[in-house]
Amino acid sequence: MSAQPMETKVVCGMTLRKDPAREACFKVVETDAEMAAWADFSRDSMRERLHRHMNNETTSLEIAAQCIADFPEAPWELRMQLARQVWDESRHVEALHRRLIEIGGHKGEFPVANFEWTVTCLLDTLVGRLTLQNRTFEAGTMDLMATLPGKWREAGDAATADLLDAIAADEVQHVRFGNQWIRRLTAEDKRLLFKVAHAVRFLAEVNNAFAKASGGLNAVGQTMEQVGKVAPINVADRLEADFSEAEVAEILRQAGFPALVQERLPAAP
Ligand SMILES: [Fe+2]
Ligand SMILES: [Fe+2]
């Protein structure tokens, strides 16, 4: 069971887990509005994108590692999957840091936010954390990765594009084992379905609270709409990561693509 009492903080009226430790060079902020994100691929934007991605990979590493520490009673095979994820994410952090330096950036050059950690690690069940981190946040990254390397290539940076392709291949496995274990754990104990539902609802509440509080410009004068575009659903990789066709259809439907559901996938029951 997770270590208690958990250290918490309140952001936009929501109680969240306190940020993980960061080196003194990093300025840690709470919301997207405080980030220095640009929608284009200018030199500044390229460094900021790598810097932000590097910190996001760090939080993925920390979430998986914290799960191993907080849930010693979890099945050994699941703990091994989390340990492998920690190893993958640590390689991602190192590779992104190397590339950041190659293009002239450095640690601490831009603000960082640890949103995924602060939401996921507030939950006190492993199935809840897998639901948010692996099945929701990392699945979202997978969608983004379907188009992001191409954008870097168009911007003339094939080395970063190749690196993102390599990272994306690992992410599919993190989503896959998350999905497989959520299915297995909830099949063994139906009460855990409430924990899954609670996790999804909690994230929706946090997102709503953050959306209400933002709305203006971010730290470099970009609108949230400019920098916060939602990636199209990566159907091929989601199926590869063990989302069922019905689940992918439901995600497409919720994302406002009902026509795509009819064309590509059978309707959810
Ligand atoms: Fe990663
Ligand atoms: Fe990952």
Side-chain angles (χ1 to χ4, degrees):
M1 199 51 227
S2 57
Q4 297 287 345
M6 219 174 244
E7 283 196 276
T8 60
K9 64 176 186 177
V10 177
V11 186
C12 303
M14 300 297 298
T15 299
L16 304 173
R17 181 91 174 237
K18 221 174 208 174
D19 290 85
R22 283 288 173 273
E23 291 170 77
C25 64
F26 288 104
K27 180 188 177 194
V28 178
V29 298
E30 310 278 17
T31 66
D32 283 351
E34 299 167 90
M35 297 290 283
W38 292 269
D40 61 17
F41 276 78
S42 63
R43 306 309 300 177
D44 285 345
S45 178
M46 285 171 142
R47 294 197 314 282
E48 194 280 332
R49 283 167 184 269
L50 283 182
H51 192 272
R52 181 159 27 114
H53 193 162
M54 177 183 74
N55 189 64
N56 287 343
E57 295 285 354
T58 307
T59 53
S60 296
L61 184 172
E62 290 164 321
I63 291 166
Q66 193 66 45
C67 284
I68 296 172
D70 284 350
F71 304 103
E73 77 288 358
W76 176 253
E77 302 82 22
L78 173 51
R79 286 164 61 75
M80 280 300 291
Q81 290 284 6
L82 287 162
R84 286 191 195 102
Q85 182 179 354
V86 171
W87 165 233
D88 287 344
E89 310 296 17
S90 67
R91 282 187 288 104
H92 299 168
V93 175
E94 281 179 350
L96 287 162
H97 184 219
R98 245 189 335 261
R99 186 68 195 136
L100 175 66
I101 289 169
E102 282 168 7
I103 67 166
H106 61 268
K107 278 193 305 188
E109 187 175 6
F110 303 97
V112 294
N114 304 309
F115 179 78
E116 297 172 3
W117 160 279
T118 62
V119 177
T120 304
C121 289
L122 189 81
L123 301 176
D124 64 358
T125 60
L126 183 49
V127 78
R129 292 192 195 178
L130 291 172
T131 298
L132 292 197
Q133 173 58 15
N134 298 61
R135 188 184 161 86
T136 307
F137 293 134
E138 297 214 47
T141 305
M142 207 169 66
D143 294 336
L144 196 65
M145 288 296 209
T147 55
L148 200 56
K151 290 181 183 165
W152 280 88
R153 219 160 258 130
E154 273 171 33
D157 187 343
T160 300
D162 290 346
L163 170 58
L164 295 180
D165 275 333
I167 290 175
D170 288 338
E171 302 303 348
V172 175
Q173 168 57 13
H174 305 160
V175 180
R176 183 193 291 127
F177 89 74
N179 270 331
Q180 289 171 342
W181 275 98
I182 290 166
R183 223 167 279 148
R184 188 163 152 185
L185 293 171
T186 54
E188 285 166 7
D189 182 356
K190 293 272 183 265
R191 286 170 304 181
L192 289 179
L193 285 169
F194 289 105
K195 299 294 184 182
V196 173
H198 169 262
V200 171
R201 208 173 67 180
F202 175 58
L203 176 61
E205 284 171 6
V206 176
N207 277 336
N208 280 340
F210 273 59
K212 258 187 220 151
S214 73
L217 302 178
N218 73 9
V220 289
Q222 301 269 296
T223 66
M224 293 298 123
E225 288 72 28
Q226 279 175 307
V227 296
K229 277 192 208 140
V230 176
I233 308 300
N234 180 351
V235 173
D237 278 356
R238 279 188 180 246
L239 290 173
E240 192 67 21
D242 253 13
F243 277 86
S244 72
E245 295 217 338
E247 286 169 329
V248 174
E250 187 53 38
I251 292 161
L252 287 169
R253 205 174 280 117
Q254 286 177 12
F257 299 105
L260 208 53
V261 175
Q262 285 164 9
E263 279 169 32
R264 305 190 60 154
L265 294 160

